[in-house]
Amino acid sequence: MSIMDSLFNGKIYPAEQAVSSDPNYVKTNREIEKLMEKLEGKLDNEDYDLVEKVCDLLALVQDIQNKEMFRYGLSLGLRLMREAEELPYLKNH
């Protein structure tokens, strides 16, 4: 199956398949979990719900930004390929 077909048919989903291998990613997620647990212990339910709502909105903003960066990166890569194909020394080989 081609990459285009896989994308179209939902077999490739970059947002779920691209997981950071940066050690700071896991470390930072653990720190966030610990801080959220501390806040949950210190805040009443209403205030903690507000914190969770802010976190949800931040995640949504990050998803939107990630989508735009993916689009831009893909577009840039395709433009780079097109430009490289137009180089005179590549046409003869």
Side-chain angles (χ1 to χ4, degrees):
M1 181 178 288
S2 72
I3 292 175
M4 192 177 301
D5 288 338
S6 294
L7 274 170
F8 180 79
N9 293 321
K11 304 266 188 233
I12 297 175
Y13 190 65
E16 288 182 355
Q17 293 169 328
V19 178
S20 178
S21 60
D22 185 330
N24 288 321
Y25 177 80
V26 173
K27 179 182 173 193
T28 302
N29 272 329
R30 284 189 189 133
E31 287 180 40
I32 290 169
E33 288 173 10
K34 288 178 184 177
L35 289 173
M36 290 299 288
E37 287 172 5
K38 277 186 179 180
L39 285 172
E40 188 174 21
K42 292 182 179 221
L43 300 175
D44 62 34
N45 288 343
E46 186 177 334
D47 288 339
Y48 186 74
D49 287 346
L50 287 173
V51 171
E52 283 188 316
K53 177 80 172 171
V54 169
C55 290
D56 290 345
L57 292 173
L58 287 170
L60 179 60
V61 167
Q62 186 67 48
D63 285 345
I64 293 166
Q65 186 178 24
N66 288 341
K67 186 189 305 181
E68 291 306 313
M69 287 188 290
F70 175 79
R71 286 179 178 166
Y72 177 76
L74 181 60
S75 175
L76 182 63
L78 292 171
R79 291 191 333 245
L80 182 61
M81 287 176 57
R82 187 177 333 135
E83 186 176 310
E85 287 178 350
E86 294 171 0
L87 293 173
Y89 58 85
L90 289 179
K91 289 183 180 182
N92 296 329
H93 292 99

